[in-house]
C-alpha cells in the first residue's frame, strides 16, 4: 500500500528508464486496486485518484525529459 504520492521534484531527479519502470509498477498497482474495489475490499478509494495523478505526473515529466533531450540533440 502506498505511503505518499510522488513529488514532481523526486520524479525529475530520476532517469527516464527508472520513470518508465515506476509508471509500469504504478499502473499495475492501480489495476490491483481497481480489482479490489470491484470486489468491495478497498477501504480507501482516494488511493485510486492518487495513483492516477501519480501516473499522469510521471508521464508528463517523462515527456518533458524526452522532448528536452531531442531538442538538445
Amino acid at each position: 500500500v502506498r505511503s505518499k504520492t510522488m513529488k514532481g521534484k523526486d520524479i525529475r531527479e530520476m532517469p527516464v528508464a527508472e520513470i518508465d519502470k515506476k509508471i509500469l509498477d504504478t499502473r499495475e498497482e492501480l489495476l490491483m486496486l481497481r480489482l479490489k474495489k470491484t470486489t468491495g475490499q478497498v477501504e480507501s478509494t482516494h488511493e485510486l485518484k492518487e495513483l492516477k495523478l501519480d501516473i499522469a505526473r510521471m508521464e508528463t515529466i517523462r515527456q518533458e525529459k524526452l522532448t528536452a533531450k531531442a531538442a538538445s540533440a
Side-chain angles (χ1 to χ4, degrees), residues 22-32 55 59:
K22 197 76 166 163
I23 289 171
L24 289 175
D25 292 343
T26 308
R27 283 188 174 152
E28 190 174 314
E29 190 175 344
L30 180 61
L31 175 66
M32 298 309 284
I55 292 170
E59 289 278 2

Side-chain angles (χ1 to χ4, degrees), residues 3-4 13 16 24-25 28 30 33 38 40-41 43 47 53 58-60 63-64 66 69-70 73:
S3 58
K4 64 177 182 117
E13 293 171 357
V16 175
L24 289 175
D25 292 343
E28 190 174 314
L30 180 61
L33 211 58
T38 58
Q41 297 174 355
E43 295 173 10
E47 287 182 25
L53 290 173
M58 287 186 277
E59 289 278 2
T60 301
Q63 194 60 41
E64 286 174 1
L66 292 176
K69 187 177 180 181

